[in-house]
Amino acid sequence: MTTRRTRPAPRPPEGTPPRAELARQARKALADAVRIARWAADGADPGTPPLAAQALEHAAAALELSPAQVRSGWDRARLAGLVELHGDTARPGWRLRAWDRDDSAVLRGWVALFDAWSLVHPAPRGIESTAVAEAVEAVPQVLSLLQLSAGPVTVPALLDLLGQRVAELHEERCEVPYEPQPVPAPAEPAPTAHPPELVALLLDWALEGLAAVGALTLGAGQATLTPLGNWAVWVKLEQICVAAQSPAGNIEQAAADMLLGCARLTPGPARAEYRAWLAARPVGSAVAELLGVARGEDALLRGLAFEALRVVGAPAEPEVRAVATDPSLRPYALLWLAEYDGADPEDAQEVLSREEATWLWVDTAAAVADHGETGLLVRHLDTAVQGTVPALLDEVRAVGHPRTVQVLVALAAAHPDPALAKAVRKAAFQVHTGGA
C-alpha cells in the first residue's frame, strides 16, 4: 500500500465571513427573486419570459413591486435555479425547496447568478458579439486581480488588465491560413484588437453587471469585491486547483473510465478523484453521465457512480430521485436519498424493503464476481439480510436479478463447503431452467 500525500482542506481568505453569514447575504440579495419564485410556484404562473402582461400586473400587485422589479426578479429566479419552466408551467426548483434550511443550496443559487452576470445585465447595444464574448472570457482575470488585492482596485488598473487580456484573446482567435498563399502586397500596420474607448465601455458594463448581482461595489474610480464576491472568486480558483491536482489523472476520461480508475483507490483518494473530475465539468452533464454509466450492465460501475454522486450532493438530488423508479437503480437511489436526508450510512439500509435489499446483494455480488477476489464473494454471504443460506437462496431466486445465475455459479465455485456449494449450484440450475 502506497502512502499518498493528501492536500489539506483549503481555508477561505482571512476575513471571509462564516458560511452562515455568506448565506444570509445571499438570501438578502435574492429576496425579491425568492418572493417571485414562490408566487409563481404556488400556481400563479407568470408564464414564460417575457412575462405575459396580465401575469406581470398580477405579480406586481400581489407582491407590491413595480413591473420592472418583477421582470428583474423573475430573471434572477430562473438564473439562480429557484424555478424551472416546464412548457408554460413554473415549478419550484430544488434550491427553492431547500432555501430556508440549506445554506449550501442558497450559496449555490447565488453562485449560479454570479456566473450569469452577463445575462442579468445585458451588454450595451451596438457592440459586436465577438467583443462581448472576449470581454466575458477576460472577466475572470479581472476578478482574480480584485480578489488578490484584498481591497479596492482603481479603474485604470482594471482597464489595463482587461485591455491586455482582450487583445490576447482577439489574437488567439485570428485564423492562420494553412494553404499556400500568394505573395501579399506590402501590408499596412495591423490595427489594435479594440480601440481604448470600446475596452473602457466593456469594463464599465462588466463592473456594472457584477455589481448588479452583488459581487462587487463601485466607488469613485475604483471597485471592491463584496464578501460574497470575494468568496465566490476564491471558490472558483480552488476548483481550478483541485482539477489540476487529480490524484490518478482521470480528469479527461469519460465517466466509466474514471470510475474504473478509482475502483482500487481507498475512499479518501477516490473522493478526491471524483471531486477533481466533477470540478472540470458542468454539474448537470456530469450527473447525467454518471447516471448513464449506472444504467449499464457493470454492477461495479453502478455502485461507484453513486459514490461519485454522493460527492455531487444536493444538485444531483432531483435526478437521483427521478431514477428511483428504475428497478436496477432503485436500491442505490434510496440509499443515496436517505443519506442526503441525514441518515447515518450504517442505518440507511433500513429504507430498503427486503426485496430491494436482496436485489442489491445480488448486484454487489455480481460486482465482486466480475472484479473482485473469490474470498470476497464468500464473505459477501455474511452481509445478506436473510441470515441463513437457504432463506437467501429462496429470496434470490424470487428477486429476478438478471445476473442471479452467474452470481450463484461463481459463489458455488468459490465456497469451500461442499454441501453449501452443492445447494448453491442447485439453486443456480433451478433459476436457469425456471424450476422451483
Side-chain angles (χ1 to χ4, degrees), residues 53-413:
Q54 185 177 6
L56 180 62
E57 294 174 2
H58 289 167
L63 301 172
E64 299 181 349
L65 298 172
S66 70
Q69 288 174 317
V70 172
R71 286 194 186 93
S72 175
W74 175 248
D75 286 341
R76 289 166 178 260
R78 292 179 59 235
L79 293 171
L82 298 171
V83 290
E84 299 171 356
L85 289 180
H86 299 264
D88 291 335
T89 302
R91 297 178 185 171
W94 70 267
R95 287 181 181 134
L96 184 63
R97 295 193 296 269
W99 195 255
D100 293 329
R101 60 178 171 80
D102 189 339
D103 288 348
S104 293
V106 174
L107 291 172
R108 285 178 184 272
W110 185 85
V111 169
L113 184 69
F114 167 70
D115 289 339
W117 66 267
S118 60
L119 301 178
V120 173
H121 187 67
R125 294 182 180 180
I127 302 180
E128 292 184 0
S129 59
T130 301
V132 171
E134 289 168 354
V136 171
E137 192 171 345
V139 159
Q141 278 73 22
V142 173
L143 290 168
S144 295
L145 175 60
L146 286 162
Q147 201 265 345
L148 292 171
S149 299
V153 179
T154 63
V155 168
L158 297 174
L159 186 61
D160 183 58
L161 176 61
L162 181 68
Q164 290 181 32
R165 184 59 183 144
V166 166
E168 291 171 358
L169 293 169
H170 187 80
E171 185 176 352
E172 289 172 5
R173 285 186 168 86
C174 291
E175 295 183 358
V176 179
Y178 289 92
E179 303 83 11
Q181 299 291 317
V183 177
E188 298 180 359
T192 57
H194 297 299
E197 297 80 8
L198 177 57
V199 177
L201 183 60
L202 290 169
L203 178 64
D204 288 343
W205 164 63
L207 294 179
E208 290 169 1
L210 292 164
V213 299
L216 54 78
T217 57
L218 299 176
Q222 62 185 27
T224 309
L225 285 176
T226 63
L228 271 174
N230 187 65
W231 169 81
V233 175
W234 172 77
V235 168
K236 300 291 181 183
L237 293 172
E238 278 300 313
Q239 287 176 345
I240 294 171
C241 292
V242 169
Q245 296 184 19
S246 166
N250 289 304
I251 285 179
E252 297 182 0
Q253 300 294 331
D257 294 331
M258 180 275 293
L259 293 171
L260 282 176
C262 296
R264 295 191 179 276
L265 297 178
T266 55
R271 284 191 293 270
E273 187 71 6
Y274 300 150
R275 280 192 290 269
W277 187 85
L278 291 163
R281 289 160 177 76
V283 66
S285 61
V287 170
E289 190 174 352
L290 289 170
L291 287 175
V293 171
R295 291 187 178 94
E297 296 181 358
D298 193 322
L300 175 66
L301 292 184
R302 186 158 32 253
L304 291 174
F306 277 86
E307 287 300 317
L309 288 168
R310 284 176 172 84
V311 175
V312 178
E317 185 263 342
E319 287 76 11
V320 173
R321 196 172 296 279
V323 302
T325 57
D326 184 328
S328 65
L329 301 184
R330 181 172 174 78
Y332 295 95
L334 292 179
L335 291 174
W336 190 99
L337 291 166
E339 293 179 29
Y340 172 72
D341 289 335
D344 187 283
E346 294 183 359
D347 300 330
Q349 295 279 344
E350 297 176 2
V351 304
L352 301 181
S353 69
R354 196 173 177 93
E355 182 179 8
E356 291 161 351
T358 303
W359 177 285
L360 182 61
W361 185 91
V362 178
D363 209 51
T364 306
V368 175
D370 290 342
H371 301 277
E373 301 173 356
T374 57
L376 291 177
L377 190 59
V378 173
R379 291 196 294 273
H380 185 55
L381 271 175
D382 296 334
T383 67
V385 297
Q386 285 75 13
T388 67
V389 172
L392 171 64
L393 295 177
D394 286 343
E395 296 185 31
V396 163
R397 285 198 297 263
V399 81
H401 193 290
R403 295 292 305 280
T404 299
V405 172
Q406 293 93 329
V407 164
L408 293 179
V409 168
L411 180 59

Side-chain angles (χ1 to χ4, degrees), residues 6-23:
T6 58
R7 184 172 182 259
R11 294 185 177 182
E14 187 176 353
T16 302
R19 284 178 66 85
E21 173 59 20
L22 290 170

